[in-house]
Amino acid sequence: MTSRYSPPEFINDYILNQNSFHLDVYSYGMILYNLITEIKPFHSFDGKRDDLINLIKSGNRPEFPDTF
Protein backbone atom coordinates (compact mmCIF):
# COMPACT_ATOMS: atom_id res chain seq x y z
CA MET A 1 0.00 0.00 0.00
CA THR A 2 1.39 3.41 -0.90
CA SER A 3 1.78 6.10 1.73
CA ARG A 4 -0.67 8.43 0.01
CA TYR A 5 -3.51 5.96 0.56
CA SER A 6 -2.44 4.56 3.96
CA PRO A 7 -4.35 5.63 7.05
CA PRO A 8 -2.41 7.08 9.99
CA GLU A 9 -3.28 4.11 12.24
CA PHE A 10 -1.74 1.67 9.78
CA ILE A 11 1.38 3.79 9.43
CA ASN A 12 1.77 4.03 13.21
CA ASP A 13 1.40 0.29 13.89
CA TYR A 14 0.74 -1.91 10.90
CA ILE A 15 1.03 -5.13 12.92
CA LEU A 16 -1.89 -4.36 15.25
CA ASN A 17 -3.97 -2.74 12.51
CA GLN A 18 -4.15 -5.45 9.88
CA ASN A 19 -7.88 -6.12 9.78
CA SER A 20 -9.68 -2.91 10.54
CA PHE A 21 -12.76 -1.63 8.78
CA HIS A 22 -11.68 1.94 9.57
CA LEU A 23 -8.47 1.47 7.61
CA ASP A 24 -10.42 0.30 4.59
CA VAL A 25 -12.77 3.28 4.80
CA TYR A 26 -9.85 5.74 4.90
CA SER A 27 -8.13 4.10 1.92
CA TYR A 28 -11.42 3.96 0.02
CA GLY A 29 -11.89 7.66 0.72
CA MET A 30 -8.46 8.43 -0.74
CA ILE A 31 -9.32 6.39 -3.84
CA LEU A 32 -12.61 8.26 -4.21
CA TYR A 33 -10.73 11.56 -3.84
CA ASN A 34 -8.44 10.46 -6.66
CA LEU A 35 -11.34 9.40 -8.88
CA ILE A 36 -13.43 12.52 -8.26
CA THR A 37 -10.67 15.12 -8.53
CA GLU A 38 -8.40 13.19 -10.91
CA ILE A 39 -5.56 14.26 -8.61
CA LYS A 40 -3.49 12.00 -6.35
CA PRO A 41 -3.91 12.65 -2.62
CA PHE A 42 -1.26 15.08 -1.36
CA HIS A 43 -0.27 15.82 -4.97
CA SER A 44 1.37 19.12 -4.07
CA PHE A 45 3.71 17.48 -1.56
CA ASP A 46 7.23 17.35 -3.00
CA GLY A 47 9.21 16.26 0.05
CA LYS A 48 10.63 12.95 1.17
CA ARG A 49 8.45 9.92 1.87
CA ASP A 50 9.13 10.18 5.62
CA ASP A 51 7.89 13.78 5.60
CA LEU A 52 4.70 12.69 3.81
CA ILE A 53 4.17 9.97 6.43
CA ASN A 54 4.58 12.53 9.23
CA LEU A 55 2.13 14.82 7.46
CA ILE A 56 -0.47 12.04 7.32
CA LYS A 57 0.18 10.95 10.92
CA SER A 58 -0.38 14.51 12.12
CA GLY A 59 -3.94 14.42 10.77
CA ASN A 60 -3.60 16.37 7.52
CA ARG A 61 -5.96 15.44 4.72
CA PRO A 62 -5.94 16.42 1.05
CA GLU A 63 -8.08 19.41 0.13
CA PHE A 64 -10.50 19.57 -2.76
CA PRO A 65 -9.61 22.02 -5.52
CA ASP A 66 -11.60 25.26 -5.73
CA THR A 67 -13.45 23.99 -8.79
CA PHE A 68 -15.61 21.70 -6.62
Side-chain angles (χ1 to χ4, degrees):
M1 183 180 291
T2 66
S3 300
R4 294 179 188 276
Y5 299 90
S6 298
E9 298 87 354
F10 185 79
I11 294 171
N12 284 334
D13 190 355
Y14 67 91
I15 294 174
L16 291 178
N17 291 303
Q18 290 292 315
N19 297 318
S20 173
F21 179 73
H22 302 284
L23 304 178
D24 294 337
V25 170
Y26 179 93
S27 297
Y28 182 65
M30 293 297 111
I31 292 169
L32 287 177
Y33 174 87
N34 190 319
L35 291 171
I36 292 168
T37 63
E38 297 180 357
I39 301 171
K40 289 183 181 179
F42 306 105
H43 70 281
S44 61
F45 184 78
D46 294 333
K48 297 178 183 177
R49 182 176 181 271
D50 290 339
D51 294 335
L52 175 62
I53 288 172
N54 289 331
L55 182 75
I56 294 169
K57 287 165 83 172
S58 66
N60 289 298
R61 301 294 180 262
E63 295 185 15
F64 280 90
D66 293 333
T67 58
F68 286 93

